[in-house]
Amino acid sequence: MLATLPGARRVEHIMGMPIVVDVRDEVVDEAVLDEMFDWLRWVDRTFSTYRHDSEVSRLNRGELSVEDAHVDVREVLERCEQLRVETEGYFDVRAASPELVDPSGLVKGWAVDRAAVLLDEAGLQNYAVNAAGDMRLRGRAVPELYWRVGIQHPLEPDRVARVIDTTGLAVATSGEYARGAHVFDPHTHRPPTGILSVTITGPELATADAYATAAFAIGAVRATHWTARLQGYEAMTILADGRVLSTPGFAKPPC
């Protein structure tokens, strides 16, 4: 007999961050959530740059070739290279060192996207997966008609810069207010200037996260022009002078 719950919320600390799943379907099979978190733990074991035995660590030590790596590792590295070219090098897994790969900037979103597929395949229709503020949302926050996502203002922790109402979206934010300076321009190896945060919304969290990182690294002078050219993704950029600039479809209410 399956163990079921009328809706479910679970939090686990994986990949160095809290990951929250909030399901609003009437009946939820707990085994589905077990499978989802098992998947995320496998991702951590495979991709972590902090674990000595992960495939990424072994790649960086020369103990494993890309050709012999797990198919998912090859897929992630291939997507990272595509994004490096697409973002003019502002998203680069070798930004910290040309000798080492660190795909962490894509892995979190990619893992959550795949976790969402597991929930979809289990028939769940109303859920949110939140990985340290980057989110995949689907359906409704029952009994509400939409999910409501508040984007924290980077200078005022008790203020929301914008609220997004959605029935299906990925939301990713890059900035320094949560972790301090950790995004650098790969071309100059310096932190960007004149910019506080970039939030990207779209269908895939992995791509949204990479775009947010790239736009933030680009800096205030070019970021808004670059995000305006994105296809299928919208952006909100908060500049150091307090201006909040958005693409036309950002936070557009669902039909």
Side-chain angles (χ1 to χ4, degrees), residues 206-244:
T207 301
D209 208 354
Y211 284 165
T213 298
F216 187 80
I218 287 171
V221 175
R222 292 183 54 216
T224 55
H225 298 289
W226 186 80
T227 56
R229 300 195 303 268
L230 296 177
Q231 299 294 316
Y233 290 80
E234 304 291 339
M236 179 184 73
T237 304
I238 302 180
L239 302 180
D241 62 10
R243 284 182 293 163
V244 179

Side-chain angles (χ1 to χ4, degrees), residues 39 42-43 46-47 55 69-78 110 114:
W39 156 252
W42 180 87
V43 171
T46 304
F47 288 90
E55 289 210 0
H70 191 280
V71 62
D72 286 342
V73 174
R74 299 199 302 271
E75 175 186 319
V76 165
L77 293 178
E78 288 170 5
W110 172 83
R114 293 276 289 267

Side-chain angles (χ1 to χ4, degrees), residues 23-241:
V23 182
R24 300 295 180 89
D25 288 55
E26 184 175 353
V27 177
V28 182
D29 180 0
E30 290 185 275
V32 174
L33 304 188
D34 293 338
E35 182 183 8
M36 190 200 85
F37 281 108
D38 285 345
W39 156 252
L40 295 173
R41 281 187 285 271
W42 180 87
V43 171
D44 189 31
R45 291 194 301 270
T46 304
F47 288 90
S48 173
T49 58
Y50 297 98
R51 297 177 65 110
H52 183 79
D53 59 346
S54 75
E55 289 210 0
V56 168
S57 293
R58 293 174 60 209
L59 281 170
N60 284 329
R61 291 195 303 270
E63 299 171 2
L64 179 70
S65 68
V66 172
E67 293 77 12
D68 292 331
H70 191 280
V71 62
D72 286 342
V73 174
R74 299 199 302 271
E75 175 186 319
V76 165
L77 293 178
E78 288 170 5
R79 180 59 179 146
C80 286
E81 176 58 19
Q82 293 170 356
L83 286 162
R84 184 191 66 80
V85 174
E86 186 178 345
T87 63
E88 303 169 30
Y90 283 97
F91 178 84
D92 190 349
V93 296
R94 298 184 184 272
S97 169
E99 306 301 321
L100 303 175
V101 295
D102 181 0
S104 303
L106 186 78
V107 166
K108 176 175 69 171
W110 172 83
V112 171
D113 284 334
R114 293 276 289 267
V117 171
L118 293 176
L119 300 182
D120 291 341
E121 290 176 345
L124 299 180
Q125 299 180 349
N126 305 284
Y127 62 78
V129 182
N130 184 340
D134 292 341
M135 307 181 71
R136 273 290 300 261
L137 305 117
R138 174 176 169 82
R140 300 169 48 204
V142 180
E144 305 300 327
L145 295 177
Y146 317 115
W147 291 98
R148 304 203 80 200
V149 180
I151 308 301
Q152 180 183 330
H153 194 283
L155 294 180
E156 303 175 44
D158 58 347
R159 177 186 167 196
V160 173
R162 189 72 62 86
V163 174
I164 301 171
D165 291 338
T166 183
T167 55
L169 204 62
V171 183
T173 298
S174 182
E176 297 183 349
Y177 52 95
R179 294 169 53 193
H182 66 284
V183 177
F184 297 87
D185 180 341
H187 304 293
T188 66
H189 303 290
R190 297 177 180 175
T193 59
I195 191 167
L196 297 178
S197 70
V198 179
T199 298
I200 302 287
T201 63
E204 293 181 349
L205 185 56
T207 301
D209 208 354
Y211 284 165
T213 298
F216 187 80
I218 287 171
V221 175
R222 292 183 54 216
T224 55
H225 298 289
W226 186 80
T227 56
R229 300 195 303 268
L230 296 177
Q231 299 294 316
Y233 290 80
E234 304 291 339
M236 179 184 73
T237 304
I238 302 180
L239 302 180
D241 62 10

